[in-house]
Amino acid sequence: MTKPLEGVRVVDFGQFIAAPAAAQLLGDMGADVIKIEPVHGESARVIGVPGQAMLHAYSRNKRGVALDLKDPRGRRIAQELIAGADIVVQNLRPGVMQSLGLGAQTVRSRHPGIIYATVSGFGLHGPSRLRPGLDIAAQAESGIMWVTGERDREPQKVGFQVVDSTAAHVCAQAVLGAYIRRLRTGLGDEVEVSLLEVAVHLQAPNWGAYLLTGKEPIRSGNGQPALAPAADVMLTSDGALVVSAYSDAHFERLSRLLGRPELGTDERFATNAARVRNRPELLGELRAEFAKMATDEAMRLLADNGVVAGRIRTYGQVMASPDVDASGIFINVTDVAGHGTTTLGSPWHLGSVPELSGNGAPRLGQHTAEVLTELGYDSEAVRALEAAGVIRSSDVEPADARVATRR
């Protein structure tokens, strides 16, 4: 069965999350992704467990090539790889690719059919275009931190790299659109994605309300400022869950299920506007009832009767969830040393991709010799380049192709 991007080559100059994750999504659709790193390794390789986690999550089944791009011979190899590619993805520090002669304008002038994608912190055209940007800076400057946390406490970040991760999906989506256009017209394209724009766009409902009313959104903890109960936490006798029942009909149903039908007609809670005004009293009444129940009991009661709720799970509990297990999002892969490990697959299912590759992230320079051989370099030339420090080639033979097993 032919995968959607089988025969497509992606050259990935990314580091950390956004660009490597975008390339990973394309790789899971069948693209041949060549990951370019410095001979000393990309930055994620030297920041301990967080960096290793990024590599395991976002460099599965890529072919790893280590080059010194400051050396003309290393740049020449990169140019040769680009010449045979369909897509380039990069998120290096602003100006680096241009200084190496590998920027979008230079590459596309030589290869007008190529799709060149850049992920930046703050966009390529504003006054902050040369600033380095990370997820946390985008969360801060986009308003995400302003609306996250308790009303009377300091602003909070989201508990994971939400902007980086979303930027990867946005980048992959835009690249696929550009590739479809190329199939129709033969013309390449330049894709630009910034963490700042992605972070702003993630808040579209908040921005919609602000643009309509001019009123700044406020931090309101887990609840939603204009709806109640909505995303409010209820502690049970053995855990916690969130409940949303803000329409009048749903709140009346929730009241009946809790054995408190009078709450639905109480003037303090009879409408959403009244419930928002009286949120502390509302939560006091609801939490007193949920505290009498175990989480499983409460979830059965609500889910079986059409009330939106979700148990708050630890990571271990998430992995044990039958729904998560059935989704197949966790996959088993094998690294170059033959060790098995569990990582994340892509969060979609395609009939043409029944199973993802079981190869884990490549060792630094694992496929350098293999890829250079494909470019026409003989073994003597490869050895000479390695002796000169232009490339790094792993002494471990590439692992046989494996198929990931869904857990």
Side-chain angles (χ1 to χ4, degrees), residues 33-303:
V33 181
I34 298 177
K35 178 179 178 64
I36 306 296
E37 298 184 63
V39 291
H40 51 76
E42 72 145 287
S43 299
R45 291 192 184 271
V46 295
I47 57 173
V49 172
Q52 290 299 311
M54 294 175 193
L55 289 167
H56 283 302
Y58 302 127
S59 290
R60 291 181 291 101
N61 201 41
K62 295 180 182 180
R63 294 200 286 168
V65 173
L67 300 175
D68 180 2
L69 294 177
K70 296 179 181 179
D71 188 292
R73 293 165 291 183
R75 289 198 298 274
R76 183 166 61 249
I77 294 169
Q79 290 164 352
E80 291 170 348
L81 287 171
I82 289 171
D86 302 282
I87 298 163
V88 172
V89 181
Q90 68 96 7
N91 66 338
L92 298 185
R93 194 175 69 252
V96 168
M97 291 295 275
Q98 289 84 346
S99 70
L100 296 170
L102 301 173
Q105 288 187 345
T106 302
V107 167
R108 294 202 62 242
S109 68
R110 295 172 179 166
H111 312 288
I114 206 162
I115 295 157
Y116 191 109
T118 298
V119 183
S120 65
F122 301 97
L124 304 181
H125 308 286
S128 295
R129 62 187 177 275
L130 296 181
R131 282 175 60 192
L134 294 176
D135 177 282
I136 187 59
Q139 288 198 42
E141 299 204 14
S142 67
I144 287 178
M145 289 185 66
W146 179 254
V147 298
T148 304
E150 298 293 339
R151 183 191 297 263
D152 57 348
R153 302 290 181 90
E154 68 181 19
Q156 296 285 312
K157 68 178 180 65
V158 179
F160 64 98
Q161 294 95 333
V162 61
V163 181
D164 273 340
S165 301
T166 307
H169 289 271
V170 172
C171 181
Q173 178 184 35
V175 165
L176 290 172
Y179 186 69
I180 291 171
R181 175 178 178 266
R182 193 182 91 164
L183 293 177
R184 295 167 58 194
T185 68
L187 299 174
D189 214 336
E190 183 174 352
V191 173
E192 299 176 7
V193 175
S194 77
L195 301 184
L196 180 63
E197 288 174 274
V198 168
V200 170
H201 194 269
L202 276 170
Q203 305 166 78
N206 281 4
W207 278 104
Y210 175 73
L211 294 171
L212 287 171
T213 66
K215 294 181 180 179
E216 290 274 3
I218 58 173
R219 290 190 296 283
S220 56
N222 289 309
Q224 296 187 23
L227 299 169
D232 288 296
V233 174
M234 305 293 164
L235 299 181
T236 63
S237 63
D238 62 351
L241 49 83
V242 290
V243 177
S244 285
Y246 47 82
S247 75
D248 293 345
H250 284 175
F251 180 70
E252 183 181 356
R253 184 185 307 165
L254 174 63
S255 301
R256 285 190 285 103
L257 291 171
L258 294 176
R260 298 289 305 280
E262 73 277 7
L263 295 178
T265 56
D266 189 314
E267 65 180 10
R268 296 173 300 168
F269 313 134
T271 66
N272 178 66
R275 292 191 290 275
V276 170
R277 286 195 305 271
N278 298 289
R279 188 188 296 271
E281 295 91 337
L282 171 68
L283 294 182
E285 297 283 1
L286 296 178
R287 285 170 174 165
E289 301 305 323
F290 279 104
K292 302 172 185 176
M293 293 184 278
T295 304
D296 285 346
E297 176 189 1
M299 284 299 303
R300 283 194 301 270
L301 180 68
L302 300 180

